Amino acid sequence: MNRDNPKVTVLMPAYNAAKYIVEAIRSVLEQSFTDFELLIINDGSTDDTEKIIRSFKDQRIVLVSQENKGIAAALNAGLNIARAGYIARFDADDICYPNRLKIQYDFMTAYPQYSVIGAAVDYADADGHYIFTHHPEGHLNEEIQQLKYTICPFIHSSVFYKKEVIVNNGGYNEHAYTYEDHFLWVNILKNEMACNLSQPLIKVRLNPESVSIDGKWHTRKFRSIKYSTLKARRITESEGKELQQISGKRYSPKVKEGAYYALCGKKFLLNNYQPERARSNVVKAISLSPFRLDNYLLYTISYFPERFIAWLHNAISNDQTQKLQQS
């Protein structure tokens, strides 16, 4: 490896990730593909994140610390510093499977017409227990191009892309609070080829500390701004500030924890039928947010047969899809 000219930059923003970052870093350092730099942007962490990162002595790790500015700003800072032409996105609480970089690098270099490559991912709970495998809505470029703007085509921490394409399109929009990746895709994919590999290449860890929560826990106003800006492919500074204000008021640690348990409960019921585990998580969600009626409904449904639950889930999903298409 040429330390000054690595083939791939693994770009990892980190904010108060001390609980999980050791496993995340190790999963990158143990990749079968070794010609990379692991660029970690410590975004103003107040826990032991920086201390833990510095405890690793691998020369491929590049640490940059900045004041807390949010994930989009951290990613843009990383893009400005990254030395490789290819970027592998990765989050500080997830886990890379050993051949992740090799598979995506080999694919991108063999098929240079593609600018962005995603993949299927395995989801796990905060303790690392497998919940389900997520397969993207579209795999071929043609399928991705036909997706409704409301559907994010990639799991962000699974993507591998050409740095110049993202930089030339202005990087991540810092006003698109919590959906900076989705906003980026709707703006660049109209001119770029992309695909998703069907093989899971990472394990995404759901956890209460994550900014990303189940969309249904967002307020109606938040969802309205999000989808209107995605549709227009534009977002103003004032809209960005409003999104942050809504989130600041609504998404306390308690709310995030409740959203986490509700999401785990739903996934254990709908994607990996384990009703007892589902109920255990939903009970915790109810204890944290006792006035959310959907949690009680989910708990009640967990006692129904699996076939009925699958039918009901499909019926509701189809109805929601039709409403979005009409909007």
Side-chain angles (χ1 to χ4, degrees):
M1 170 188 169
N2 183 342
R3 287 183 58 195
D4 296 324
N5 190 29
K7 292 179 178 177
V8 175
T9 293
V10 180
L11 179 53
M12 177 194 290
Y15 175 70
N16 288 351
K19 190 182 297 185
Y20 309 111
I21 198 169
V22 168
E23 194 172 3
I25 291 175
R26 284 177 178 166
S27 75
V28 176
L29 298 181
E30 293 170 1
Q31 289 289 297
S32 59
F33 180 95
T34 59
D35 193 353
F36 65 84
E37 64 173 353
L38 172 54
L39 175 56
I40 306 176
I41 308 298
N42 177 30
D43 189 37
S45 296
T46 57
D47 62 1
D48 289 334
T49 294
E50 182 169 350
K51 180 180 178 181
I52 291 170
I53 297 168
R54 293 188 181 281
S55 71
F56 287 87
K57 304 305 179 185
D58 195 300
Q59 294 183 340
R60 292 172 296 181
I61 296 176
V62 179
L63 171 63
V64 176
S65 292
Q66 63 179 33
E67 64 182 36
N68 181 247
K69 297 180 180 179
I71 186 171
L75 289 170
N76 286 334
L79 287 173
N80 288 331
I81 300 168
R83 291 175 290 183
Y86 295 115
I87 303 293
R89 266 288 290 115
F90 193 52
D91 287 331
D93 51 358
D94 295 340
I95 298 166
C96 268
Y97 291 153
N99 292 323
R100 183 253 170 115
L101 294 182
K102 176 175 173 53
I103 290 171
Q104 291 185 307
Y105 178 82
D106 287 350
F107 186 96
M108 184 74 86
T109 52
Y111 302 99
Q113 65 268 34
Y114 289 95
S115 298
V116 185
I117 305 171
V121 304
D122 292 331
Y123 273 91
D125 64 15
D127 297 319
H129 300 134
Y130 171 81
I131 303 178
F132 75 108
T133 299
H134 170 82
H135 292 281
E137 296 278 352
H139 288 87
L140 302 177
N141 179 63
E142 294 78 8
E143 296 171 337
I144 291 174
Q145 297 294 346
Q146 292 174 8
L147 290 176
K148 182 79 170 173
Y149 68 88
T150 55
I151 299 173
C152 187
F154 308 109
I155 298 300
H156 197 190
S157 56
S158 80
V159 296
F160 187 103
Y161 54 67
K162 295 177 180 176
K163 173 186 170 181
E164 65 176 356
V165 170
I166 308 303
V167 172
N168 290 343
N169 281 275
Y172 292 88
N173 192 301
E174 297 175 21
H175 301 315
Y177 186 69
T178 76
Y179 61 98
E180 62 284 329
D181 57 321
H182 193 169
F183 192 84
L184 175 66
W185 311 137
V186 299
N187 275 281
I188 71 168
L189 290 184
K190 60 184 182 294
N191 299 316
E192 304 293 337
M193 289 187 65
C195 68
N196 275 304
L197 305 181
S198 58
Q199 177 183 353
L201 296 181
I202 68 168
K203 182 188 290 184
V204 173
R205 190 195 303 268
L206 300 175
N207 68 85
E209 291 84 11
S210 175
V211 172
S212 299
I213 65 174
D214 191 356
K216 292 181 180 179
W217 283 66
H218 287 305
T219 65
R220 182 176 299 178
K221 181 63 174 177
F222 187 101
R223 294 196 300 270
S224 175
I225 296 173
K226 175 181 177 179
Y227 291 120
S228 65
T229 56
L230 285 171
K231 186 175 184 178
R233 297 194 179 106
R234 294 189 305 274
I235 184 169
T236 65
E237 182 178 356
S238 62
E239 288 171 324
K241 288 181 178 179
E242 188 170 2
L243 289 171
Q244 288 187 315
Q245 289 173 355
I246 294 171
S247 297
K249 293 176 181 178
R250 287 279 299 174
Y251 308 134
S252 65
K254 183 179 179 180
V255 170
K256 287 185 179 181
E257 189 176 4
Y260 161 75
Y261 285 119
L263 182 58
C264 287
K266 183 169 68 174
K267 295 303 182 182
F268 272 124
L269 189 62
L270 301 177
N271 300 88
N272 179 9
Y273 185 68
Q274 298 187 53
E276 291 185 1
R277 279 198 172 185
R279 284 192 287 273
S280 175
N281 279 279
V282 174
V283 166
K284 293 175 182 177
I286 290 173
S287 69
L288 290 162
S289 301
F291 299 110
R292 286 195 66 97
L293 297 181
D294 51 349
N295 287 332
Y296 295 96
L297 178 61
L298 188 61
Y299 182 86
T300 301
I301 291 173
S302 71
Y303 285 96
F304 283 77
E306 181 179 5
R307 182 177 296 180
F308 174 80
I309 294 173
W311 171 83
L312 183 63
H313 176 57
N314 288 333
I316 294 173
S317 297
N318 290 336
D319 180 64
Q320 290 175 340
T321 299
Q322 290 177 358
K323 289 180 179 178
L324 284 172
Q325 290 174 342
Q326 293 169 1
S327 63

